[in-house]
Structure formats: C-alpha cells, structure tokens
Amino acid sequence: MALHGIALILLAVLTGTASVVLATVLVRWWDKGPGRGRPRLPQGLESSLKPMVMLFRDQILVDATPPARALLDRFSAPEGDWTRLLHWIGPRFPDAIEALGRIDRLGRFESLGQGGSGSAVLRLEVEQIDAGLLRIAITDPQAEYAGIVVDSMSQQAMEEELDLLRRSLDQTPMLVWRQDAEERVTWANAAYLRKAEAQSDDSIGWPLPRLLESPRPVPGAGTRTRRASLTQNGAVSWYDCHSHQVGDQTMMFALPADAAVRAERSLREFVQTLTKTFADLPIGLAIFDRQRQLQLFNPALIDLTNLPTGFLTARPTLFDLLDQLRELRMVPEPKDFRSWRQQMSNLESAAATGHHVEEWSLPGGQTYRVTGRPHPDGAVAFLFEDITSEMSLTRKFRAEMALGNSILDNIGEAVVVFAPGGQVAMTNQVYRDLWSVQTDSLAAALACWQSHAEAGAGLDALCARLMGTEGGLRDSGLIAGPRGQLLGWSVARLAAGRQMVRFRLPDAAASAPDAGQPLLATASG
C-alpha cells in the first residue's frame, strides 16, 4: 500500500512538469511565428519612422517618401521641387550646392549638416543612380538605429508653433536674415527674399546676396545698430539694422526707417534755416539750457558785446558771460559787486518766469535793450539789441515836441486840436487858462464852451461848424468868453483830418476900454 501511494505521487509530479514544459514550448513557438518577431507600432507612428528619400530625374521629382513630400510642401517656390529642395539644403549644407553641380564627376557624396539649436545633426546623401537620376536621402545619424518614436501630440504642437513663427517672420515688413562667420546669408525671411528678387534680374540661389551693410557685432557688447540704405529702381530706402550674435551665427534685423530719415532731414533743414536767419539778425541772441550753459549764439552777439569767439564756443554759464561783459564794460556800471550780482540774479529769474525787458545805458554811450524770454524745458533766451540810434531819435523828437509846445504856449492865442475821432490831440497853456477845464474829447469841449460862454449865434455857428451839421459853413466868428470878454474864433483843417480851433481877443475889443457892453451885444446878436 505504501509503495502504491508513492507511485501515485511521482506520477502526479511528472505529469505537472510535462505540462509546464509543453506550455513553454508552445509560447515560444507562437512568438516566433510570421509577423510576431517584434512589437507592432501604432499606425500613426510607423509613418514617422519612414526615411526621407527623393528621386530626381533631370531636376524633376520622380518619387519621394511621405516625409520627403511633407518637407518640400513647406516651401512655396514657383520654380519647382528642385528649387524648393535647394532652399532647404542651402542653409543647412553649405557645401552641398557646389557638390550637386559636380555630381556627374563625383557620382556620390555625403555632407554632414551644421548643428542646430539642439543636438540634431543631419546627414545628406546624394547618389547618381543613372544618367540624370539622383537619389537624395536625408537622415539623422544619432537616431538612425535607435528606433526613436516621437510623441504625435508633441510633434503636432511643435509643428504648429513652427508654422506660426514662420508665418510671422514672413509677414513682418522688416528684413530678417542670418549670416555665418564668413558673412554668407544662410537664412532669410520672405521680405528679404522679395527684396533680393527685385534687386536681381535672374533667379536667386544659395547663398543669397547681401543687400545691406549691417553692423558687425562685438562679442559681449550686445546688440549693435547701424543705418544703411538700399537703392531699388532709383528709389532709396533706409533701414535701421540691428545685429545680434547667436553662437557662430549672426542674426540681422533691418527695420524700415524712411519716415525717421525724412523727419530728421526736415528737422536738419529747419535748423539750418533758423541758423541762417539767426546769422543775419542784427540782434544778438544767446540761448541757455536749464543748467544755464550757453547752447546757441549768433554772430551779432559777438559784434555787439565784443566777447571772444573762443569764450562763447566753450559754452560758458550765464553768470560767467555776464561777468565777462562786466569786465569788458558792456553792462551798466554797478555801484558795488553785491548789487551787481543781485541785479543779474533778478534778471535771470525774471527771464525764466516770463517776458522781461531792461535798458542798459553803457559807459561808452550806447544803449542796449536786453530781453529775456523763457523757453521749453527750463531754457532761457536773451536778446541784445542796440537801440542807441532809436534812443537818440526819441530824445530829439521829445526835444522838438517840447519846443513846439513852448512856442504854442507863447503865441497869445488859445489853441486846441481835435483828432478825426473827436479826441483832443493837444492844447496850449493859454487855452487851459482860458477855459479852466482840461477836456479830452470834442463833445466834452463843446459842453465846456456852452456852460462857460454866453449863448448866441456865434457859439451856435462854432458848434455847427465842428459837428458838421446844417448851418456850419462859417470858419470864424465871435463869442462871449467865460469872463464876458469878446473872443474871436476860427476853425482850420489840418492834415490827416484834424481840426484846429483858435480863440483870440479882437484888436478892437482890446483898444476900447469901455466898449465891452456893445461888443457883448454884438456877439450875442
């Protein structure tokens, strides 16, 4: 019985072992079946691992893998697929363009592209299979045998961002391009390509022509700027060129600056016009900034003040200039230095806050008018004008006026002159003593005469004559004066529509001591 139980146990163990071995064999056989040697990739990822291969016969695309067709579709070159391929190859494989031209002799060549912003390095393989038939393959050496699979979502996001950046650079009005260490253009945006095509009669190729003399960046100095011009069809366009070093490449940005150039030219012409105008002015001009340093002066300032040109070009301060004028005796003689400094401080503050005018009587006999005016941003301008002849003429005119008034005061007749508007232009002392009232208009004078003189035909005739009413045809007559004396009057027309009225004592009234009453009766009658 014991032996029979042991036999049953051994039989069960052998049966279990055989089952495990058989299952293992079946699993291995299933894994080694057709199509089961490697895991299947999703259908969307299998296409990303296809090689980028193109076949060209006489520069006409014969066949291409889907990745290669997607690459060519990124460029819009009307010349064809071959030109699109060169646009992509040129910036990345600088030696490939020349090698493609000698492919008939070389038969086959490989080119390792320049490093990108990351670690990606591409390899270009060109092989001439038959006469005129080229096989072009583009591979990534680092991922060629690694079986790298890119996440489709990440790839789609990167492609969308790349498309947005490409469209933004192509639509910008400024010129953007990249240069290598030998100053060859390795990349350019659409605006640059359009300018390059307009400049050339033939179709352009790689490397692209340089359109502008851009500034050379200095390592560690950041961005540099330079203004450059571009002539096209006789028209000159201006650009502000900015350069920025990125590794061994240089990024260039050219912003249109035509409006700025026109504004600067207009400003420069305006300043030149002002400078010529200031140079011809007989008035000395000195403009000081907010720190009161001389910024602008004209030649008349030198002629009027005798200040040295070297002193003015050194941009002295306002108080230095005034001190120099004091030493040259070109300012009023001060009583003491303290009062002089206070006077000049008052001049500066008054000119800075508003319009200020002073007249300087110089020791040499000249008279200067000094005008101070505030300017924007705290600046102040001073004008020096020689008014010596004007002052002399004024003094002479005043002297002649005083002489004329003295003569009128001593002629023995009362004289008053009316302006065309009825204002009293002048009177003499005899007139003021006669009527005892100083009037300023014709109406006031008539009211004074009517209130102080006796009414009568003579007074009515005088009023009618001055007012130009009916009956005012007489130019002379008699009236009874303020103290009852008989006065003869006459009206004469002067230049510029003025009228002169004279009152005088008749000779008959003056020679008859007791004839006052008959004369008064005659005047009133």
Side-chain angles (χ1 to χ4, degrees):
M1 276 305 280
L3 292 175
H4 180 70
I6 294 173
L8 291 175
I9 294 172
L10 290 174
L11 181 60
V13 172
L14 291 174
T15 303
T17 303
S19 300
V20 172
V21 172
L22 181 60
T24 303
V25 172
L26 289 175
V27 170
R28 290 184 177 180
W29 174 82
W30 178 264
D31 288 341
K32 292 182 180 180
R36 302 184 184 91
R38 62 183 184 276
R40 290 185 63 84
L41 297 173
Q43 183 177 1
L45 297 181
E46 286 181 353
S47 61
S48 64
L49 297 179
K50 292 181 180 180
M52 190 177 294
V53 181
M54 292 162 276
L55 289 178
F56 283 91
R57 182 181 295 278
D58 297 330
Q59 299 184 358
I60 298 177
L61 182 64
V62 177
D63 195 8
T65 60
R69 291 187 181 277
L71 174 67
L72 296 177
D73 291 340
R74 295 179 183 178
F75 299 92
S76 58
E79 293 83 359
D81 296 323
W82 180 257
T83 304
R84 298 179 184 180
L85 179 63
L86 294 183
H87 284 178
W88 188 87
I89 289 178
R92 295 165 177 81
F93 304 93
D95 302 331
I97 303 298
E98 182 182 357
L100 284 173
R102 297 184 290 111
I103 192 63
D104 293 337
R105 288 178 292 171
L106 297 177
R108 185 181 186 281
F109 76 89
E110 293 184 4
S111 177
L112 197 63
Q114 299 178 350
S117 59
S119 59
V121 178
L122 300 178
R123 178 191 293 135
L124 175 67
E125 299 176 359
V126 181
E127 181 180 1
Q128 188 174 22
I129 301 175
D130 195 358
L133 182 62
L134 296 180
R135 180 182 183 274
I136 300 176
I138 303 170
T139 59
D140 184 358
Q142 297 182 2
E144 190 172 1
Y145 303 104
I148 297 176
V149 179
V150 181
D151 179 21
S152 60
M153 296 298 293
S154 300
Q155 183 178 0
Q156 182 181 7
M158 288 187 294
E159 289 179 354
E160 290 178 355
E161 183 178 1
L162 179 62
D163 182 68
L164 175 61
L165 294 176
R166 183 183 296 113
R167 290 177 182 272
S168 299
L169 284 176
D170 287 343
Q171 293 176 2
T172 181
M174 65 179 175
L175 310 183
V176 184
W177 71 99
R178 184 177 62 191
Q179 296 179 179
D180 58 13
E182 287 76 23
E183 296 187 354
R184 295 177 298 186
V185 179
T186 59
W187 176 87
N189 69 337
Y192 189 97
L193 293 177
R194 288 193 294 267
K195 285 290 183 181
E197 291 174 354
Q199 289 290 104
S200 177
D201 297 332
D202 302 329
S203 59
I204 59 175
W206 291 96
L208 293 173
R210 291 180 58 194
L211 299 180
L212 298 170
E213 290 296 329
S214 52
R216 294 177 177 269
V218 178
T223 303
R224 297 192 63 190
T225 306
R226 176 183 177 184
R227 180 161 291 174
S229 62
L230 177 63
T231 303
Q232 181 178 347
N233 299 328
V236 180
S237 301
W238 289 92
Y239 295 88
D240 287 332
C241 300
H242 304 263
S243 64
H244 186 73
Q245 192 74 27
V246 182
D248 59 347
Q249 300 280 323
T250 305
M251 288 299 301
M252 301 291 180
F253 305 89
L255 281 71
D258 292 333
V261 170
R262 287 194 296 268
E264 292 173 0
R265 184 183 296 113
S266 299
L267 178 60
R268 185 166 53 253
E269 293 174 354
F270 179 70
V271 171
Q272 291 177 354
T273 302
L274 288 182
T275 302
K276 293 179 181 178
T277 304
F278 291 158
D280 296 334
L281 280 178
I283 301 174
L285 176 65
I287 299 179
F288 298 85
D289 59 14
R290 63 166 56 193
Q291 284 78 29
R292 297 300 178 261
Q293 284 188 324
L294 183 64
Q295 296 295 327
L296 180 65
F297 66 93
N298 65 341
L301 182 67
I302 301 175
D303 299 336
L304 292 175
T305 61
N306 298 324
L307 289 170
T309 305
F311 172 77
L312 295 175
T313 55
R315 294 188 175 183
T317 64
L318 172 61
F319 290 102
D320 290 339
L321 185 142
L322 294 174
D323 289 340
Q324 186 70 17
L325 289 177
R326 179 172 175 265
E327 294 180 3
L328 295 174
R329 296 175 60 85
M330 298 303 297
V331 295
E333 191 65 32
K335 297 180 179 179
D336 52 53
F337 185 75
R338 179 177 298 178
S339 63
W340 153 255
R341 296 296 295 182
Q342 184 62 39
Q343 181 183 359
M344 294 301 103
S345 298
N346 296 338
L347 173 65
E348 186 271 337
S349 59
T353 55
H355 183 75
H356 180 72
V357 180
E358 286 187 1
E359 290 184 0
W360 289 0
S361 297
L362 306 183
Q366 304 101 318
T367 302
Y368 283 1
R369 179 186 292 124
V370 181
T371 305
R373 296 176 179 271
H375 272 228
D377 200 20
V380 63
F382 287 94
L383 290 80
F384 296 84
E385 183 180 1
D386 187 358
I387 59 172
T388 304
S389 58
E390 178 183 340
M391 294 301 296
S392 300
L393 183 61
T394 301
R395 295 189 189 101
K396 182 179 180 180
F397 178 75
R398 289 176 179 174
E400 292 179 353
M401 287 291 294
L403 177 60
N405 291 333
S406 178
I407 293 174
L408 286 176
D409 290 341
N410 289 276
I411 61 175
E413 294 183 356
V415 178
V416 58
V417 178
F418 298 99
Q423 299 86 3
V424 175
M426 63 174 298
T427 60
N428 66 348
Q429 189 62 43
V430 178
Y431 177 87
R432 294 190 290 273
D433 294 340
L434 175 63
W435 297 103
S436 304
V437 176
Q438 180 65 34
T439 56
D440 56 358
S441 65
L442 176 60
L446 293 178
C448 174
W449 300 341
Q450 290 172 351
S451 62
H452 290 76
E454 185 176 344
L459 182 59
D460 294 339
L462 173 61
C463 294
R465 174 65 180 82
L466 293 175
M467 297 296 294
T469 58
E470 185 179 355
L473 302 178
R474 296 169 53 186
D475 291 334
S476 61
L478 297 174
I479 64 172
R483 288 179 291 277
Q485 72 274 39
L486 185 65
L487 297 177
W489 60 267
S490 63
V491 178
R493 291 187 175 274
L494 303 180
R498 296 180 178 89
Q499 297 184 93
M500 181 179 66
V501 180
R502 293 183 299 169
F503 298 95
R504 62 188 181 279
L505 292 171
D507 294 339
S511 60
D514 55 347
Q517 187 67 27
L519 288 174
L520 286 175
T522 304
S524 59

